[in-house]
């Protein structure tokens, strides 16, 4: 199971284990997105992500957008090297 | 990124080979016409494309070396370096080295051998003299760091703005937008990326496997517009790309190499205008071709061959059924099958020009090695013949060319002394002639020394002393095994291995070779090859109950032999064909068929090269698409028969090897000097 979702009090903890790529996004999105509504706090643990591509990036962008619109407080509790690199690549600000 | 890289890499290797070929040809073209801008452009494009594609696959050794070559070529193109023979020699060697790089690094994924690295260092050294002066110190750095070479060496860095909008199917097509960003990073320095997620639709209509991403990228790079454009070749169809140069004049304070800014303003912009049409040119040409594995083609032709046999069987059955509509239907089918056969065979036909063009380089190198000035003229390059034949004829041709250059054409001094131009001429010509293709290799050298050959032949016991031989026969002695008249054994030829191998190779292709020479004026070697190896149009003839196939291309006409002519021809061995002497061969006798000849006999007039003869047979059975089946080893020594085929009835028919048959008869007659007619039986 690439994804574990635990609900503690008012916060939902989600940790993704394995790839965050085109091969897994459909499953992840199916598991994750329905649980988001109603949870006041969402903790995203990306420390076990082994690989991330454009599709994974898009999923994170959607999660962020949905969280914003629902007023959910989103926090990323950990990120692996793969995630950091991918995010750096597409978030480079003017140096 | 999950593009099937293996396959893409194979395509790259094939393309690179073709490009290097183009590069070599253009270089040779440039050597004869130093002002040819098209040739310079073609060379530059070849190197440029190889570098670009190699970069996509991360083949750094290829990229770093090609980059220097491209750099020099770029200077050649804008006229800051002039074309001279030394530069061309260096560039030709660079082409060879690039080929080696691609074969070793790209095909086998191995690093270069030390010897090759040494060669590369020497070439880099040679190239560096042609590079712009202030780049020379950089070459040291390039040796070590491939990626840096792009930045360190190029004339100017430009700030590019790339606007990317990926299509919804990008993920499904196996692309990852991030990998393009990563690749751009290798081309230059990405200063800013903005990821656009605005177009991701609302949650209920969002499909996680569709791509809605967009990027705005600012890239500082020396790469040209065309290079950047090529990066997106894979996704061009489902992606919206805009690449613009940002005018840096306004913020030149940020500039990295301040002395280069002046160049940056115009240089790359004009360059990008020039390069764009260049990049699109080969694309349109490629669109007309489909690459097919040769094995698949062979399989198809094999099947078509079986189809031909099967359809012959079907029409035979139909004929015996007395059913008109059925006969009509089978004849339509046969007609179509014949067309398919023609079409399938045509697929295998390729012009011989590519093989010929390869020799330009060979001629150039060898003539330099020998210190002779030799020019190669090629004609009939568009003549088409079977792929297998083209592949196998390369070596014999190479050998003949070397021979012509080494022994045939004299040194410039000797030529002038003989009253000829100092420059030697060598010509390669190809044309179709009665169902075969003829390749001529002609030189204007000294010609063959008739006496020397004869002397040598007698010394080796190839010819009985006192035998009278025609010039032609003497010249053809050089195709005998172990024959060489060269006084000095050179690097190239003269060891006496060769001409017999040439002849054997050509014979294996069912071809023949002969030679014509005029003292002091030159030598012509003529190779005659069948158009295809698999299927021929045959003409069926019957003797007794056996059937033989004569290749239709060699059949000139058929005439009936009446009683009166039979008598006289049997006595004389020839026939009066409209005033011409036509030697006759009685196949019934030749193949030792028992029984007496039929009441009526026919003569099939066959022609091969300049020989003409009549074959006496019992019946004429008409045309037949013949699929050649080789004879077993047991019959290997059989002369006069080149193969067998299966008839519609299932019976086996032997295919006559007309050239061998004619030769056999000529020899046979030559051995009986008392023959009442001239020793050259075969009419010219």
């Amino acid at each position: 199971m690439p994804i574990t979702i635990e609900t503690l009090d008012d916060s939902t903890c989600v940790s993704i284990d394995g790839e965050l790529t085109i091969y897994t996004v459909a499953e992840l999105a199916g598991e994750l997105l329905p649980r988001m509504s109603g949870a006041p706090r969402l903790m995203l643990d990306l420390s076990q992500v082994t690989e991330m591509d454009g599709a994974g990036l898009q999923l994170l962008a959607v999660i962020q957008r949905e969280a914003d619109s629902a007023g959910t407080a989103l926090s990323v509790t950990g990120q692996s090297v793969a995630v950091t690199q991918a995010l750096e690549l597409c978030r480079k600000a003017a140096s | 990124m999950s593009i099937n890289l293996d396959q893409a890499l194979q395509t790259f290797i094939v393309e690179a080979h073709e490009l290097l070929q183009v590069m070599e040809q253009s270089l040779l073209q440039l050597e004869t016409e130093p002002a040819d801008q098209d040739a310079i452009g073609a060379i530059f494009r070849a190197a440029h494309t190889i570098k670009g594609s190699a970069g996509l696959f991360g083949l750094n050794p290829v990229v770093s070396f090609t980059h220097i070559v491209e750099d020099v070529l770029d200077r050649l193109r804008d006229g800051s370096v002039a074309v001279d023979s030394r530069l061309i020699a260096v560039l030709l060697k660079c082409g060879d080295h690039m080929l080696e790089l691609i074969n070793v690094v790209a095909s086998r994924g191995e690093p270069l051998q030390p010897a090759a690295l040494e060669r590369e260092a020497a070439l880099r050294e040679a190239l560096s003299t042609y590079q712009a002066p202030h780049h020379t110190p950089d070459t040291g750095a390039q040796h070590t760091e491939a990626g840096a070479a792009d930045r360190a060496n190029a004339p100017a860095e430009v700030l590019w703005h790339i606007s990317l909008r990926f299509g919804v199917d990008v993920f499904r097509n196996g692309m990852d937008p991030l990998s393009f960003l990563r690749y751009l990073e290798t081309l230059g320095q990405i200063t800013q990326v903005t990821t656009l997620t605005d177009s991701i639709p609302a949650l209920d209509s969002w499909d996680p496997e569709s791509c809605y991403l967009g990027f705005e990228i600012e890239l500082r790079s020396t790469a040209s517009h065309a290079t950047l454009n090529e990066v997106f070749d894979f996704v061009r169809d489902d992606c919206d790309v805009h690449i613009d140069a940002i005018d840096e004049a306004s913020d030149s304070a940020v500039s990295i190499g301040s002395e280069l800014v002046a160049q940056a303003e115009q240089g790359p912009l004009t360059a990008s205008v020039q390069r764009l049409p260049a990049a699109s040119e080969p694309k349109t040409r490629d669109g007309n071709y489909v690459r097919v594995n040769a094995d698949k083609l062979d399989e198809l032709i094999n099947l078509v061959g079986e189809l031909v046999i099967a359809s012959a069987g079907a029409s035979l059955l139909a004929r015996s059924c007395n059913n008109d509509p059925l006969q009509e239907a089978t004849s339509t089918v046969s007609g179509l099958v014949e067309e398919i056969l023609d079409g399938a065979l045509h697929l295998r036909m390729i012009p011989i020009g590519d093989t010929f063009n390869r020799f330009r380089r060979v001629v150039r190198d060898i003539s330099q090695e020998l210190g002779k000035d030799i020019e190669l003229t090629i004609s009939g390059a568009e003549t088409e013949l079977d792929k297998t034949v083209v592949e196998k004829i390369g070596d014999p041709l190479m050998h003949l060319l070397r021979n012509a250059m080494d022994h045939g054409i004299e040194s410039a001094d000797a030529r002038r002394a003989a009253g000829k131009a100092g420059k030697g001429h060598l010509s390669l010509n190809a044309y179709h002639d009665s169902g075969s293709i003829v390749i001529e290799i002609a030189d204007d050298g000294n010609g063959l020394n008739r006496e020397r050959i004869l002397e040598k032949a007698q010394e080796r016991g190839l010819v009985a002393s006192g035998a009278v031989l025609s010039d032609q026969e003497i010249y053809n002695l050089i195709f005998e095994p172990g024959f060489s008249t060269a006084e000095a054994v050179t690097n190239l030829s003269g060891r006496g291995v060769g001409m017999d191998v040439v002849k054997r190779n050509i014979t294996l292709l069912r071809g023949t070779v002969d030679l014509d020479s005029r003292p002091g004026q030159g030598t012509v070697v003529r190779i005659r090859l069948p158009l295809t190896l698999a299927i021929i149009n045959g003409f069926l003839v019957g003797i007794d109950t056996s059937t033989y196939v004569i290749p239709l291309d060699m059949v000139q006409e058929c005439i009936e032999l009446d009683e009166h002519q039979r008598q006289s021809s049997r006595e004389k061995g020839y026939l009066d064909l409209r005033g011409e002497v036509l030697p006759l061969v009685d196949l019934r006798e030749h193949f030792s068929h028992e029984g007496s000849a039929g009441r009526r006999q026919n003569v099939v007039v066959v022609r091969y090269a300049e020989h003409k003869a009549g074959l006496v047979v019992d019946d004429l059975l008409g045309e037949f698409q013949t699929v050649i089946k080789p004879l077993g080893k047991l019959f290997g020594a059989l002369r006069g028969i080149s193969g067998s085929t299966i008839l519609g009835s299932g019976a086996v028919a032997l295919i006559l090897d007309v050239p061998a048959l004619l030769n056999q008869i000529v020899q046979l007659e030559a051995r009986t000097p008392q023959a009442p007619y001239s020793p050259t039986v075969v009419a010219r």
Side-chain angles (χ1 to χ4, degrees):
Chain A
M1 192 66 186
I3 182 169
T4 24
I5 303 176
E6 288 170 31
T7 314
L8 290 168
D9 301 333
D10 58 346
S11 60
T12 310
C13 295
V14 177
S15 68
I16 297 171
D17 186 358
E19 288 183 26
L20 181 56
T21 64
I22 180 68
Y23 300 110
T24 54
V25 281
E27 194 186 341
L28 293 174
E31 289 278 334
L32 193 76
L33 295 176
R35 311 277 191 109
M36 279 185 61
S37 49
R41 280 159 59 84
L42 180 65
M43 322 256 267
L44 207 50
D45 179 8
L46 301 177
S47 58
Q48 301 306 311
V49 173
T50 52
E51 201 183 337
M52 175 168 158
D53 68 356
L57 172 78
Q58 187 172 267
L59 179 63
L60 294 184
V62 170
I63 292 171
Q64 188 173 29
R65 187 187 66 184
E66 293 306 309
D68 281 355
S69 65
T72 311
L74 176 69
S75 57
V76 176
T77 54
Q79 47 180 282
S80 66
V81 185
V83 176
T84 316
Q85 277 174 353
L87 290 179
E88 250 173 29
L89 193 64
C90 31
R91 240 191 233 158
K92 222 166 241 176
S95 49
Chain B
M1 186 150 87
S2 49
I3 310 178
N4 191 342
L5 264 184
D6 259 4
Q7 208 173 355
L9 187 65
Q10 286 312 317
T11 315
F12 162 68
I13 292 167
V14 172
E15 268 180 13
H17 280 183
E18 279 168 16
L19 285 166
L20 285 171
Q21 194 115 46
V22 170
M23 185 168 150
E24 187 176 298
Q25 275 165 31
S26 306
L27 276 169
L28 294 172
Q29 164 84 13
L30 201 61
E31 193 169 39
T32 41
E33 287 168 56
D36 192 336
Q37 282 300 323
D38 288 349
I40 298 179
I43 300 163
F44 180 82
R45 279 200 297 280
H48 178 73
T49 312
I50 290 174
K51 189 186 94 171
S53 316
L56 260 182
F57 294 104
L59 302 168
N60 281 338
V62 182
V63 177
S64 75
F65 181 74
T66 313
H67 178 82
I68 308 172
V69 177
E70 189 193 357
D71 205 35
V72 171
L73 289 172
D74 202 21
R75 285 173 55 80
L76 191 67
R77 204 168 56 154
D78 63 23
S80 43
V81 169
V83 179
D84 60 30
S85 56
R86 201 174 81 82
L87 175 60
I88 288 185
V90 170
L91 286 175
L92 278 173
K93 287 207 191 92
C94 289
D96 293 347
H97 186 69
M98 279 157 72
L99 186 67
E100 185 172 358
L101 275 170
I102 283 163
N103 285 339
V104 175
V105 179
S107 305
R108 281 181 263 142
E110 294 165 7
L112 279 185
Q113 299 293 317
L117 284 174
E118 227 165 78
R119 269 203 298 284
E120 179 171 327
L123 286 173
R124 280 173 190 264
E125 183 70 38
L127 283 173
S128 65
T129 55
Y130 291 98
Q131 284 180 307
H134 63 272
H135 294 151
T136 338
D138 285 342
T139 43
Q142 286 161 15
H143 286 289
T144 51
E145 203 187 335
D150 277 319
R151 268 161 272 158
N153 203 16
E157 285 198 327
V158 196
L159 191 61
W160 295 99
H161 183 92
I162 303 168
S163 172
L164 278 173
R165 297 290 180 278
F166 287 99
V168 284
D169 286 328
V170 167
F171 294 150
R172 285 187 201 94
N173 292 342
M175 314 280 180
D176 178 9
L178 296 188
S179 63
F180 290 95
L181 291 180
R182 285 194 197 103
Y183 181 64
L184 284 176
E185 269 193 324
T186 65
L187 289 179
Q189 188 191 0
I190 297 183
T191 53
Q192 192 174 356
V193 181
T194 316
T195 307
L196 302 172
T197 51
D198 314 341
S199 48
I200 301 177
L203 200 55
D204 46 359
S205 57
W206 175 64
D207 174 358
E209 292 184 348
S210 293
C211 179
Y212 304 97
L213 295 174
F215 293 96
E216 298 288 338
I217 303 157
E218 280 182 19
L219 174 74
R220 190 179 294 281
S221 167
T222 58
S224 67
H225 188 278
T227 314
L228 293 179
N229 220 18
E230 275 166 18
V231 173
F232 301 101
D233 271 355
F234 282 125
V235 280
R236 177 92 46 228
D237 292 340
D238 41 21
C239 178
D240 201 9
V241 187
H242 292 282
I243 303 169
D244 303 294
I246 300 174
D247 189 6
E248 268 195 294
S250 51
D251 55 20
S252 58
V254 210
S255 72
I256 288 175
S258 51
E259 80 274 23
L260 296 177
V261 170
Q263 283 178 339
E265 279 168 25
Q266 308 108 7
L269 280 178
T270 46
S272 66
V273 173
Q274 283 171 0
R275 284 175 206 189
L276 261 186
S280 59
E281 214 171 71
K283 284 271 136 52
T284 51
R285 200 192 57 200
D286 284 350
N288 296 331
Y289 292 99
V290 182
R291 278 183 207 285
V292 181
N293 192 328
D295 293 345
K296 284 189 189 165
L297 214 57
D298 288 347
E299 212 170 288
L300 175 73
I301 289 182
N302 214 348
L303 274 178
V304 172
E306 297 296 328
L307 187 62
V308 168
I309 294 176
S311 111
S315 48
L316 203 71
L317 274 180
R319 230 174 291 156
S320 64
C321 278
N322 252 345
N323 182 336
D324 285 346
L326 179 62
Q327 279 194 29
E328 209 162 296
T330 49
S331 88
T332 319
V333 171
S334 312
L336 288 172
V337 165
E338 231 162 89
E339 273 174 47
I340 292 178
L341 176 64
D342 281 349
L345 286 182
H346 217 83
L347 289 179
R348 285 184 59 90
M349 301 292 256
I350 52 173
I352 195 160
D354 288 343
T355 312
F356 277 7
N357 283 331
R358 260 198 338 199
F359 293 131
R360 284 191 190 280
R361 173 77 188 275
V362 174
V363 169
R364 179 189 170 280
D365 288 356
I366 294 181
S367 59
Q368 277 181 1
E369 192 178 320
L370 293 170
K372 295 176 184 176
D373 191 5
I374 299 171
E375 189 186 39
L376 177 69
T377 336
I378 289 176
S379 50
E382 68 291 337
T383 315
E384 290 190 325
L385 76 167
D386 193 275
K387 191 174 158 294
T388 342
V389 183
V390 170
E391 278 162 9
K392 292 194 175 149
I393 201 64
D395 286 347
L397 276 181
M398 173 89 80
H399 203 95
L400 289 170
L401 276 176
R402 287 184 164 195
N403 244 330
M405 283 185 283
D406 201 13
H407 305 314
I409 293 175
E410 320 89 320
S411 65
D413 294 341
R415 289 181 65 88
R416 276 190 217 98
K420 291 195 267 192
K423 190 176 212 153
H425 287 270
L426 200 58
S427 73
L428 266 175
N429 185 19
Y431 55 91
H432 286 289
D433 179 54
S434 59
S436 39
I437 182 173
V438 180
I439 302 172
E440 276 183 355
I441 300 144
D443 66 64
D444 64 347
N446 205 13
L448 292 175
N449 189 330
R450 189 180 175 281
E451 271 64 48
R452 279 257 308 285
I453 295 173
L454 194 56
E455 207 176 285
K456 194 101 173 187
Q458 284 168 348
E459 191 180 297
R460 304 233 162 155
L462 294 170
V463 179
S465 58
V468 182
L469 295 173
S470 69
D471 286 2
Q472 189 85 30
E473 285 168 312
I474 292 174
Y475 294 143
N476 282 323
L477 283 174
I478 66 165
F479 291 112
E480 296 296 324
F483 196 96
S484 171
T485 59
E487 277 143 6
V489 172
T490 69
N491 201 3
L492 298 167
S493 45
R495 293 202 178 90
V497 285
M499 289 306 252
D500 59 317
V501 180
V502 168
K503 180 160 188 175
R504 202 171 59 230
N505 284 343
I506 292 170
T507 315
L508 281 179
L509 294 171
R510 293 200 286 117
T512 57
V513 56
D514 71 308
L515 193 142
D516 217 344
S517 177
R518 289 200 184 156
Q521 288 179 28
T523 310
V524 182
V525 181
R526 258 182 225 98
I527 299 172
R528 201 169 262 277
L529 293 166
L531 283 181
T532 173
L533 300 173
I535 300 178
I536 54 167
N537 260 321
F539 186 73
L540 288 183
V541 296
I543 300 166
D544 254 359
T545 50
S546 316
T547 317
Y548 291 92
V549 180
I550 303 171
L552 190 64
D553 304 313
M554 294 172 187
V555 175
Q556 289 228 298
E557 58 181 318
C558 299
I559 41 179
E560 200 189 329
L561 201 62
D562 62 32
E563 197 56 44
H564 168 68
Q565 280 172 319
R566 261 169 86 173
Q567 286 303 326
S568 64
S569 66
R570 177 147 306 164
E571 282 160 23
K572 293 183 288 189
Y574 63 86
L575 186 75
D576 176 4
L577 179 70
R578 293 181 294 271
E580 207 182 315
V581 177
L582 183 76
L584 289 183
V585 181
D586 194 337
L587 287 186
R588 174 180 282 275
E589 244 169 61
H590 189 83
F591 290 114
S592 316
H593 279 281
E594 288 173 1
S596 59
R599 199 168 49 80
R600 283 175 53 186
Q601 282 196 302
N602 295 286
V603 174
V604 182
V605 181
V606 292
R607 189 178 85 101
Y608 185 72
E610 66 270 36
H611 303 303
K612 212 169 169 185
L615 306 176
V616 182
V617 299
D618 289 357
D619 305 304
L620 303 177
L621 301 172
E623 251 181 76
F624 179 72
Q625 290 279 320
T626 310
V627 181
I628 299 177
K629 305 269 173 193
L631 286 172
K633 266 197 188 128
L634 196 59
F635 303 105
L638 209 58
R639 296 188 62 189
I641 301 286
S642 63
S644 63
T645 188
I646 299 163
L647 299 177
S649 62
V652 172
L654 296 175
I655 303 168
L656 293 185
D657 183 355
V658 174
L661 201 63
L662 293 186
N663 260 329
Q664 211 176 336
I665 292 158
V666 172
Q667 282 170 10
L668 213 66
E669 297 298 340
R671 267 184 237 140
T672 46
Q674 304 92 337
Y677 38 82
S678 116
T680 27
V681 208
V682 171
R684 294 281 159 92

